[in-house]
Amino acid sequence: MPGVQKCASTKPLGFPKQDNHSPSYWLQSVQGDPLLDHLTTPELPLSADIVIIGSGMTGTLTAKHCIETWPEVKVVVLEARQFCSGATGRNAGHCKPDQWRGFTGYEKAFGTQQALKILQNEQQTWSDLVQYVRENDVDCDLWVGDTLDVPLTPEAAEVSKDTISRFKAAGGNVDHIKVTQDPAKAEEMSRIKDAQACYAWSASTLHPWKLSAHVMRESLKKGVNLQTHTKVAQVVQSLKIPGRWTVKSDRGEIECTQVIHATNAYSPALEPSLRGLINPMPHMCNKVTPPVSFKGPQGLSNSYGVLLPNGGLFSINPRSTTEGPVLFGGCNPGQEEFEKWLQEHPEKCIDDDLLGFKSVTTAVQEFAESRLKGWGTYSTNQAEHYSHAWSGIVGMERQSFSSPQS
């Protein structure tokens, strides 16, 4: 992805702001939920066995694992803001296992067998998640159906064709992937004008905050202590007990045996060894109200990855609700201008208060109106239907192998 290094720094860029002013579609829908501002105990515990910093999906699942593996262990989760209000609560809602697209990059970096294992793990993770949601009756708006990867240019189509061929030749399983290389059939199947090909396989969309909330609530019943609005400023070796750590926050200090950093792009602010390895990069997500021609039975019935040259991507998640919005994420053509702006405003690399960026929103609008067949026009101010956008911070590794789904 171009520009990943633009916000790289050998120094910590800082911590998240305490308040969110660009609420995501997900966070807007759960306002008033008591878990957002949960404090298991009125005061911060003085000690714990394990302190987890961050309450997104990573921190929440880590807490689940710890309390179920060692029920006697005292686990405390610290969150600087509201519960799950960072990247997990600000994405585009995809649970889409990469089946083949990242193979070439993974193979180059890690070898053929490891590349195959990485993609097998993605498939297994998705299968396990769907099983967990169904067995536990989790209220998280889970949808399971075909996701479509649609190359939009001959260049993107050639890259896709070559990648899946390499994956298959290496022993990758493609039996469950429906492949259409005929542009006319791809356009009909995807409803995207000038589609060059179409790849379909089973995936999901869901409400990420509700999923995280279910997992956390179950862990709270088992003894996990969640402390929201507790911003950690420093993690240092304990001066009181050798071999332990002191976690310093704006609400006090906790002595503990283990510290787990689950703060995504903010991790280098607390852990020096990660500086330069994890780099913050904001991406935008746009909630679009579709015209009447794309609502109800006429609405999109698949999730999408629209593949563009040089790793560009529109991710599309049509929400199956009465409101019927469509969420656009990914790394669309407007991201390049956004990243140039970030070079001039590096402090914004850790700012998820951004209310949108014109070039990104314009790219979404142009794609919807020129590429989605039958999208049509609006009866009211057209621009207003694209105006709700929010930022989320992606933690980019030093080398990135594929575009984010957001």
Side-chain angles (χ1 to χ4, degrees):
M1 179 191 306
V4 167
Q5 294 297 320
K6 303 305 183 185
C7 297
S9 174
T10 57
K11 297 180 180 181
L13 285 173
F15 302 97
K17 294 182 179 180
Q18 286 290 89
D19 299 308
N20 286 316
H21 299 293
S22 65
S24 70
Y25 172 76
W26 318 110
L27 293 171
Q28 276 191 334
S29 70
V30 296
Q31 289 304 300
D33 192 302
L35 190 61
L36 285 166
D37 304 305
H38 180 87
L39 296 176
T40 300
T41 54
E43 303 296 330
L44 200 65
L46 297 177
S47 64
D49 296 299
I50 300 172
V51 170
I52 300 168
I53 307 173
S55 69
M57 186 61 74
T58 298
T60 293
L61 289 178
T62 301
K64 177 182 186 295
H65 172 78
C66 290
I67 202 66
E68 292 180 354
T69 305
W70 308 288
E72 73 284 356
V73 166
K74 186 177 180 182
V75 179
V76 177
V77 179
L78 304 180
E79 168 58 52
R81 301 175 293 187
Q82 292 185 313
F83 170 74
C84 195
S85 58
T88 300
R90 309 180 70 80
N91 60 39
H94 293 271
C95 184
K96 177 173 179 171
D98 182 5
Q99 300 291 278
W100 54 273
R101 196 198 311 157
F103 177 74
T104 302
Y106 292 137
E107 184 179 40
K108 183 178 179 180
F110 307 117
T112 301
Q113 293 307 309
Q114 286 300 318
L116 291 172
K117 288 179 180 179
I118 290 170
L119 296 177
Q120 289 167 2
N121 178 261
E122 290 222 10
Q123 176 67 15
Q124 188 63 51
T125 298
W126 172 74
S127 298
D128 290 347
L129 181 140
V130 172
Q131 181 179 350
Y132 174 84
V133 170
R134 289 173 171 170
E135 288 182 351
N136 293 277
D137 195 24
V138 181
D139 176 17
C140 64
D141 304 341
L142 177 72
W143 169 85
V144 177
D146 277 351
T147 188
L148 308 182
D149 265 13
V150 183
L152 201 58
T153 66
E155 177 189 349
E158 187 61 33
V159 170
S160 298
K161 185 177 181 179
D162 179 68
T163 301
I164 198 169
S165 296
R166 287 171 176 266
F167 176 63
K168 183 178 181 179
N173 180 22
V174 298
D175 294 342
H176 59 295
I177 303 175
K178 292 170 280 189
V179 181
T180 302
Q181 299 288 359
D182 182 330
K185 291 181 179 178
E187 185 172 307
E188 179 182 1
M189 181 177 178
S190 67
R191 300 174 65 182
I192 296 177
K193 183 181 178 182
D194 297 329
Q196 300 296 303
C198 188
Y199 302 80
W201 65 93
S202 292
S204 297
T205 62
L206 48 74
H207 193 303
W209 191 94
K210 288 183 178 180
L211 174 61
S212 298
H214 177 92
V215 176
M216 179 56 75
R217 287 190 176 104
E218 293 302 305
S219 296
L220 292 175
K221 295 175 185 177
K222 297 172 183 178
V224 167
N225 186 320
L226 170 63
Q227 297 286 323
T228 61
H229 300 288
T230 306
K231 184 161 66 172
V232 176
Q234 195 176 21
V235 178
V236 298
Q237 291 186 343
S238 174
L239 297 177
K240 300 176 182 178
I241 306 175
R244 288 174 68 86
W245 298 93
T246 300
V247 179
K248 299 183 177 182
S249 79
D250 55 357
R251 293 181 58 228
E253 299 181 356
I254 303 180
E255 295 282 325
C256 63
T257 303
Q258 293 183 328
V259 179
I260 299 173
H261 294 266
T263 53
N264 190 33
Y266 300 116
S267 298
L270 295 173
E271 176 46 53
S273 66
L274 297 176
R275 294 171 191 171
L277 299 179
I278 300 177
N279 301 309
M281 175 60 65
H283 280 70
M284 306 305 305
C285 190
N286 289 73
K287 171 193 164 191
V288 178
T289 304
V292 174
S293 58
F294 262 67
K295 288 186 177 181
Q298 291 77 40
L300 295 173
S301 57
N302 304 95
S303 68
Y304 291 79
V306 180
L307 311 182
L308 307 172
N310 301 316
L313 173 78
F314 283 100
S315 75
I316 306 176
N317 173 10
R319 298 297 298 151
S320 55
T321 64
T322 54
E323 183 186 0
V326 180
L327 306 187
F328 286 82
C331 183
N332 76 29
Q335 181 73 14
E336 184 174 357
E337 184 176 333
F338 184 30
E339 291 179 6
K340 290 179 180 178
W341 180 80
L342 288 168
Q343 292 180 52
E344 301 171 0
H345 305 85
E347 73 282 357
K348 295 297 183 180
C349 287
I350 55 167
D351 185 0
D352 55 15
D353 280 353
L354 300 174
L355 295 171
F357 195 81
K358 184 178 180 180
S359 66
V360 175
T361 299
T362 298
V364 169
Q365 182 172 353
E366 290 178 349
F367 172 82
E369 294 172 5
S370 66
R371 299 289 188 174
L372 290 176
K373 297 178 68 175
W375 184 263
T377 59
Y378 296 90
S379 58
T380 58
N381 187 345
Q382 192 134 317
E384 290 181 357
H385 297 275
Y386 301 90
S387 61
H388 182 193
W390 61 90
S391 56
I393 311 302
V394 178
M396 302 298 297
E397 297 178 356
R398 177 173 290 173
Q399 181 178 9
S400 178
F401 303 104
S402 61
S403 297
Q405 289 292 320
S406 285

